Amino acid sequence: MARFENRPPLLFHRRSLLRGALALAGGLVAGDAAFAQSAAFERWVERFRAEAVRRGVSEATYDRVMGHVKPDTAVYELQRKQPEFTEEMWQYINRRCSDWRVITGKERAKEHAGVLARVEREYGVDRYVLLGLWGMESSYGDVIDNPKYMRPIIPALAALTYGEPRRRRYWETELINALKIVDHGWAKPAEMIGSWAGAMGHTQWMPEVWLHMGVDFDRDGRINPFGRPDDALAGTARYLAERGKWRRGEAWGCEVAVPAGGHRLADNRTMRTYATWHGHGFRRADGQPFHRPNDHVKLWIPVAGGPAFLVGQNFRAVYSYNPSASYSLALVHLGDLIRGDGDFRQKFPGGERIPTIDEVKEIQRRLNERGFKTDGVDGRTGSDTVRAIGAYQKSVGMKPDGYAGLKLLERLRQP
């Protein structure tokens, strides 16, 4: 305990003295708790060292990286946090197949045509599916180092391994994988920036995917999901081919027109050839013939009254990358739009068309004029725009879904 020399005369009021004592005690308790937490984490780091070394991390790398790491405890709240807004499937798809993503995807298709052609030849994965995935995961690399969305992943994984017991084995494996990446010299810890859960780069690889599916496609001596997209696109194609069992030459599926009574066959399970479905009266919604009539597909109707699809193994391959039906449908649809195909012929119940960039900019401009800040007017519906929309919707009695759609624009245009 510190000594207090040259103390002033005791001229304080008793209540002031009591408040000061309580504040000091509170500060000491908070400080003690923080110190205890820090000391407990340091003890865990020392204990975990043996396990990491046993599983292939060098002692030098572990000491250099983990000896100074501070746990990113903000990840606990990010993990618990529920989505602020719920979306209908058509809203989810429209947001991710935005006008900006389609236009930018077409630009990236031209810019990286050589790499995409090489990846397609090597792994057989449709370049437009890869472009859809790239757009979905990182807006074509636009957010991979944006601190609004991304953070250093080793402090995040260390915090999850130390303090999140429900999936501890998973988190500790990913932390060890991240340390192995450093061991290989593929990245420095400060360069490993990603989501709170540890996903990184153009196509949001977890460390395990980087370590085991990564490809040095640009032949620079290291595998890197950042920087040029070559390694990220090739490694992701390898993932879809090997783990997703992608079938070279097959389409993911297509939208179909359902004949009278055909809905009863939509068990989302029974695989039949396109030719067999054709025999049952099913036709491509765009009027084209089935290009590979002997490929096996199943009938899937995500929402009653909405579009119907025949989907095959390559749709399942996309699903393996992120096991969400909405994600998978949005991804392959984005790829088709970049290719130049049209929107779904059958609309989702209650759905709207995708707003144009100019319409989204108008929404943002009108929101800002009303004091609901969107952090710019760029035609893109990022998290700030979604929050601004939700706040405005609440203020005027609309359902606060955060969706930048035509009904919202119509309301904003009213005086």
Side-chain angles (χ1 to χ4, degrees):
M1 182 177 290
R3 295 181 179 273
F4 296 94
E5 304 296 341
N6 302 317
R7 285 177 289 187
L10 296 177
L11 301 176
F12 299 112
H13 190 278
R14 183 181 297 273
R15 289 183 180 176
S16 298
L17 187 61
L18 180 59
R19 281 197 300 269
L22 290 173
L24 177 61
L28 289 172
V29 170
D32 287 347
F35 175 79
Q37 184 181 29
S38 173
F41 178 78
E42 290 172 4
R43 288 194 297 272
W44 170 81
V45 168
E46 183 58 33
R47 289 197 306 271
F48 190 61
R49 183 178 188 274
E51 176 67 8
V53 171
R54 184 184 70 81
R55 293 167 65 177
V57 178
S58 73
E59 294 182 356
T61 292
Y62 190 88
D63 293 343
R64 175 165 53 87
V65 177
M66 296 298 291
H68 304 286
V69 73
K70 302 296 182 186
D72 182 358
T73 56
V75 298
Y76 302 139
E77 179 61 25
L78 291 170
Q79 185 186 39
R80 288 191 296 268
K81 189 176 182 181
Q82 296 300 312
E84 191 172 356
F85 305 106
T86 58
E87 297 175 301
E88 301 288 342
M89 179 174 274
W90 67 267
Q91 293 175 318
Y92 181 95
I93 292 171
N94 281 10
R95 278 192 63 195
R96 286 147 185 87
C97 299
S98 68
D99 207 19
W100 181 87
R101 275 205 175 108
V102 174
I103 292 170
T104 306
K106 290 179 178 180
E107 294 171 355
R108 296 294 181 272
K110 293 178 181 178
E111 182 182 352
H112 299 284
V115 171
L116 289 163
R118 285 179 56 218
V119 171
E120 204 169 40
R121 286 195 302 269
E122 181 74 20
Y123 298 101
V125 177
D126 180 0
R127 71 183 68 188
Y128 292 101
V129 167
L130 288 173
L131 285 162
L133 190 150
W134 187 16
M136 289 273 288
E137 291 291 348
S138 71
S139 295
Y140 311 104
D142 194 52
V143 302
I144 57 177
D145 57 359
N146 187 328
K148 185 185 295 185
Y149 305 105
M150 305 297 174
R151 60 205 317 113
I153 66 105
I154 288 180
L157 290 173
L160 289 164
T161 305
Y162 166 70
E164 209 294 293
R166 289 171 297 175
R167 300 182 67 197
R168 178 164 291 149
R169 188 67 178 174
Y170 172 79
W171 297 123
E172 71 177 30
T173 297
E174 289 295 8
L175 176 58
I176 286 170
N177 287 330
L179 294 171
K180 288 180 179 178
I181 289 166
V182 177
D183 238 353
H184 288 337
W186 293 347
K188 298 176 182 177
E191 298 170 337
M192 299 173 73
I193 308 296
S195 72
W196 66 264
M200 294 169 282
H202 288 280
T203 50
Q204 290 294 278
W205 288 350
M206 290 298 291
E208 188 277 331
V209 175
W210 185 346
L211 193 63
H212 298 116
M213 289 285 106
V215 178
D216 180 14
F217 208 64
D218 62 6
R219 300 184 180 92
D220 69 349
R222 64 172 183 156
I223 299 169
N224 183 14
F226 301 96
R228 292 165 55 184
D230 305 36
D231 292 2
L233 293 172
T236 300
R238 179 186 177 192
Y239 182 103
L240 294 174
E242 294 185 12
R243 295 191 179 177
K245 309 301 181 186
W246 181 277
R247 292 177 180 166
R248 186 184 291 264
E250 288 191 19
W252 65 265
C254 62
E255 183 189 358
V256 291
V258 180
H263 294 79
R264 68 178 183 273
L265 299 176
D267 61 6
N268 195 27
R269 182 178 64 253
T270 304
M271 304 291 286
R272 301 177 174 92
T273 64
Y274 282 111
T276 302
W277 287 109
H278 187 269
H280 286 298
F282 289 81
R283 302 290 185 271
R284 282 184 62 112
D286 61 8
Q288 298 294 313
F290 293 118
H291 302 302
R292 291 170 54 106
N294 294 323
D295 291 345
H296 284 74
V297 287
K298 63 184 178 181
L299 177 62
W300 177 45
I301 304 177
V303 177
F309 306 93
L310 292 177
V311 299
Q313 175 56 35
N314 288 348
F315 186 85
R316 184 70 187 177
V318 171
Y319 184 88
S320 75
Y321 201 79
N322 182 346
S324 160
S326 297
Y327 171 92
S328 301
L329 183 57
L331 189 157
V332 296
H333 187 48
L334 176 57
D336 285 346
L337 292 171
I338 296 169
R339 190 196 313 272
D341 296 345
D343 201 358
F344 299 137
R345 269 59 175 185
Q346 175 67 36
K347 302 304 179 187
F348 284 94
E352 304 173 359
R353 67 168 172 80
I354 298 170
T356 66
I357 283 182
D358 287 340
E359 287 169 334
V360 176
K361 286 182 178 178
E362 183 180 349
I363 287 170
Q364 292 172 321
R365 178 175 57 79
R366 291 180 180 274
L367 285 168
N368 281 292
E369 288 171 353
R370 287 164 169 77
F372 299 93
K373 302 304 181 184
T374 64
D375 192 26
V377 177
D378 56 6
R380 301 170 62 181
T381 53
S383 57
D384 291 306
T385 296
V386 171
R387 281 192 290 268
I389 291 170
Y392 169 76
Q393 288 170 324
K394 287 180 182 179
S395 74
V396 297
M398 296 178 71
K399 178 183 177 183
D401 56 23
Y403 176 66
L406 303 180
K407 293 185 179 67
L408 172 70
L409 179 57
E410 181 182 356
R411 182 60 181 267
L412 283 165
R413 284 172 173 171
Q414 295 175 8

